């Protein structure tokens, strides 16, 4: 099928995995050619049961707020 893309916003905090910190660091070092990553965003219920999961391919960080 046709390729679809959509912007999305994530709020992240101090509990991130090292790979996310590295992705941010790499983006700040090369903002005109940010690194692209494949991955997923998951959310969970209060009892840690999965609630939703969205996968992405070749995503890049386009902006960082609060820095």
């Amino acid at each position: 099928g046709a390729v679809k893309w959509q912007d999305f916003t994530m709020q992240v905090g101090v509990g991130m995995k090292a790979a996310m910190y590295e992705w941010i660091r790499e983006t700040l070092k090369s903002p005109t050619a940010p690194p692209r990553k494949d991955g997923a965003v998951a959310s969970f219920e209060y009892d840690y049961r999965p609630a939703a999961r969205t996968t992405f391919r070749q995503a890049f960080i386009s902006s960082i707020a609060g820095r």
Side-chain angles (χ1 to χ4, degrees):
V3 174
K4 296 188 300 184
W5 63 273
Q6 180 177 356
D7 291 344
F8 67 94
T9 301
M10 290 182 6
Q11 182 176 351
V12 296
V14 296
M16 299 181 298
K17 297 282 187 178
M20 187 67 192
Y21 284 109
E22 180 64 17
W23 190 12
I24 293 169
R25 188 182 69 73
E26 291 172 1
T27 298
L28 293 172
K29 281 178 49 177
S30 183
T32 58
R36 294 176 178 263
K37 305 283 184 180
D38 299 339
V41 176
S43 62
F44 297 86
E45 300 290 345
Y46 68 93
D47 59 358
Y48 304 107
R49 287 181 298 130
R53 179 181 172 93
T54 301
T55 59
F56 55 86
R57 292 185 39 78
Q58 295 298 300
F60 63 92
I61 300 172
S62 61
S63 66
I64 300 171
R67 58 181 196 117

